[in-house]
Amino acid sequence: MSYKLNKPYTDAQRADFIVQYNHQGGLKIEETEEALFALLENEIMGVDEDGKSIPVVNENYEEELVQAREEGFEQNFFNTSLGWIRRKVNMQDGTTKDFLSDLLLQIKLGVDMGQDIKIITYSTPDFSQEITDEYMITLQSYKSATSEFIQECLSQLVADFYGG
């Protein structure tokens, strides 16, 4: 159930409400003619039988959450024949590298020299559940980079550059 601050309220009360529920609690704030609301994640503004704006449960919340998880995943990963590849990878020394611009050339050189270059790939997650670091680890596999994989990565780099 959402939180509500009825009008009239002072500027200080309004500011305190926003700090508590938005800045600290991460809730979305909505203002109507009657009140200020802090909506829970699964709530949106609707209209009651009297035509007043009120918080209601978003019936599409689960579907929207699944879609948002999938979109977030696809922004951070790209798909190849070997599996999904994380765009930003964490190195053992704690640094973060961009897979395509920082590592692909070295991987290609190793493959061209006949080395078995292992990379971490991911299976497609179940977007109906929360995508945590622990869950992502369960989706990992080590696979050998191939010439086909290198070509797919180069194609992805070009698509990223041109927006295609």
Side-chain angles (χ1 to χ4, degrees), residues 110-133:
V111 169
D112 289 348
M113 292 173 51
Q115 295 177 348
D116 184 22
I117 307 296
K118 297 287 187 190
I119 56 168
I120 298 174
T121 66
Y122 295 81
S123 300
T124 303
D126 174 1
F127 297 110
S128 66
Q129 61 179 307
E130 188 176 352
I131 308 295
T132 63
D133 289 340

Side-chain angles (χ1 to χ4, degrees), residues 72-79 84-87 122 136:
F73 177 81
E74 290 176 358
Q75 287 175 356
N76 293 305
F77 292 79
F78 63 95
N79 201 9
W84 289 92
I85 305 297
R86 187 181 293 270
R87 290 179 174 275
Y122 295 81
M136 290 305 298

Side-chain angles (χ1 to χ4, degrees), residues 7-151:
K7 289 185 179 179
Y9 44 76
T10 66
D11 287 343
Q13 289 171 319
R14 183 180 193 281
D16 289 345
F17 185 86
I18 291 172
V19 166
Q20 180 180 358
Y21 294 110
N22 178 260
H23 298 211
Q24 295 172 351
L27 302 181
K28 183 177 177 185
I29 303 296
E30 291 283 344
E31 189 167 13
T32 68
E33 292 178 14
E34 289 83 29
L36 194 62
F37 293 96
L39 303 179
L40 300 181
E41 286 183 351
N42 67 339
E43 293 179 320
I44 58 174
M45 292 304 289
V47 179
D48 69 8
E49 57 275 350
D50 296 328
K52 293 183 181 179
S53 293
I54 60 165
V56 296
V57 172
N58 179 359
E59 295 178 7
N60 299 319
Y61 175 72
E62 290 298 324
E63 293 169 21
E64 291 170 5
L65 188 58
V66 166
Q67 183 177 0
R69 286 177 181 150
E70 187 170 357
E71 289 170 1
F73 177 81
E74 290 176 358
Q75 287 175 356
N76 293 305
F77 292 79
F78 63 95
N79 201 9
T80 70
S81 58
L82 299 181
W84 289 92
I85 305 297
R86 187 181 293 270
R87 290 179 174 275
K88 300 284 184 195
V89 296
N90 298 319
M91 306 301 284
Q92 285 187 350
D93 66 1
T95 60
T96 301
K97 303 271 185 182
D98 183 283
F99 187 88
L100 293 172
S101 61
D102 296 334
L103 302 176
L104 184 58
L105 180 59
Q106 291 85 345
I107 294 169
K108 180 184 180 332
L109 290 173
V111 169
D112 289 348
M113 292 173 51
Q115 295 177 348
D116 184 22
I117 307 296
K118 297 287 187 190
I119 56 168
I120 298 174
T121 66
Y122 295 81
S123 300
T124 303
D126 174 1
F127 297 110
S128 66
Q129 61 179 307
E130 188 176 352
I131 308 295
T132 63
D133 289 340
E134 294 80 17
Y135 175 52
M136 290 305 298
I137 289 170
T138 69
L139 302 176
Q140 288 181 351
S141 297
Y142 288 90
K143 297 191 180 160
S144 296
T146 63
S147 295
E148 178 186 3
F149 170 76
I150 302 289
Q151 193 59 45

